[in-house]
Amino acid sequence: MKVLRQDYDYPIFLNADHTHSLASAENAARAGFDSIVFDRSELPFAQNISETKKAVEALKSINPLILVEGEIGEIGTGSEIHEEAPQGLTLTTTEEAKEFAAATGIDILAPAVGNTHGLSRSMIRGEAQKRLDIDRIAQIRKATGLFMTLHGASGTNDDDLSRAIRAGITEIHINTEVRLAWRRGLETAFAKERDQVVPYKLLPAAVDAMKQVVSARLSLFNRK
Ligand SMILES: [Zn+2]
């Protein structure tokens, strides 16, 4: 990471996504990660608060500049293809967000505002999209003043993403879209060159497919 920063003179940061224990979060902090997602959202709210508060203290004592992210509400698991989109997930309330932010001392909040990890088959077919609760994002932002991450943003309506950024989202995760592009890039290369066995001639297709997704998303996210 340090070499990449030096060579490209570009702000690149390393984020430890979804650590589920203090031990793994501390390992990531010691390894030099710039930010850590400490995800104990499956616990009851009070326990999530006490564990996250402890993690913030422990991680900042390893690196005072590290950013710690906490998570409340349900956003499903797995950056992968799901048969069906999960239903009935509990969204984050403004009151919870305010209490959680004040009690834990986190730098970044990951709320549940209509986002879910992974993509469903109907989303891949282009028949469905995730829709976000923009008012909720704006209210949580106002109540906490924190940076906010939108996890599980793959397959979200473009206009919702632009509005979510204006409402206070500062970081967006689209891992499943990138993974899907990787797989399709490889499939296309294999189908096109059936007798090709040279890895470095086949594998760039996966990288090119991922680049296309990332650059399209970056241009949307940076649109004024
Ligand atoms: Zn996530």
Side-chain angles (χ1 to χ4, degrees):
M1 186 192 61
K2 282 175 186 158
V3 168
L4 283 173
R5 273 183 188 159
Q6 281 163 12
D7 285 3
Y8 292 94
D9 189 26
Y10 193 77
I12 298 168
F13 300 98
L14 207 49
N15 178 40
D17 204 14
H18 299 290
T19 62
H20 295 287
S21 71
L22 185 57
S24 63
E26 285 177 330
N27 280 340
R30 285 194 201 97
F33 279 77
D34 301 290
S35 62
I36 312 256
V37 181
F38 187 72
D39 179 4
R40 301 298 278 132
S41 58
E42 80 274 18
L43 294 175
F45 187 58
Q47 224 175 319
N48 186 9
I49 286 182
S50 70
E51 289 208 13
T52 304
K53 181 177 191 287
K54 245 180 258 163
V56 170
E57 286 160 6
L59 297 171
K60 301 253 181 198
S61 76
I62 294 169
N63 173 9
L65 294 178
I66 208 161
L67 295 180
V68 184
E69 178 175 327
E71 186 167 323
I72 36 175
E74 292 178 303
I75 51 179
T77 54
S79 298
E80 53 201 27
I81 310 302
H82 304 294
E83 279 306 318
E84 305 273 348
Q87 300 293 323
L89 296 177
T90 310
L91 300 188
T92 306
T93 67
T94 308
E95 295 71 35
E96 267 177 350
K98 199 175 175 178
E99 188 185 341
F100 190 76
T104 59
I106 49 166
D107 305 289
I108 308 170
L109 177 69
V113 288
N115 46 325
T116 58
H117 282 120
L119 279 168
S120 69
R121 294 202 183 281
S122 59
M123 286 170 196
I124 292 172
R125 289 194 299 268
E127 295 162 5
Q129 285 188 316
K130 294 174 197 169
R131 301 305 305 258
L132 303 173
D133 189 336
I134 305 296
D135 289 344
R136 191 180 292 263
I137 294 169
Q139 283 160 13
I140 293 172
R141 167 70 182 196
K142 201 173 156 211
T144 64
L146 291 177
F147 296 131
M148 283 195 287
T149 300
L150 190 68
H151 285 260
S154 292
T156 304
N157 176 276
D158 281 4
D159 193 45
D160 280 11
L161 287 172
S162 298
R163 292 169 64 217
I165 292 167
R166 288 198 293 273
I169 291 291
T170 42
E171 182 178 319
I172 301 186
H173 291 198
I174 49 151
N175 191 17
T176 312
E177 286 183 5
V178 178
R179 286 178 169 177
L180 183 64
W182 167 83
R183 181 174 174 113
R184 286 190 169 160
L186 281 184
E187 284 172 345
T188 306
F190 287 150
K192 219 189 284 176
E193 302 191 58
R194 304 197 70 86
D195 296 324
Q196 184 57 264
V197 292
V198 180
Y200 65 76
K201 292 186 176 171
L202 290 164
L203 299 179
V207 177
D208 288 343
M210 290 191 286
K211 272 187 198 163
Q212 280 178 31
V213 169
V214 172
S215 56
R217 282 321 205 175
L218 281 178
S219 69
L220 175 72
F221 298 161
N222 287 291
R223 199 179 290 163
K224 294 286 178 236

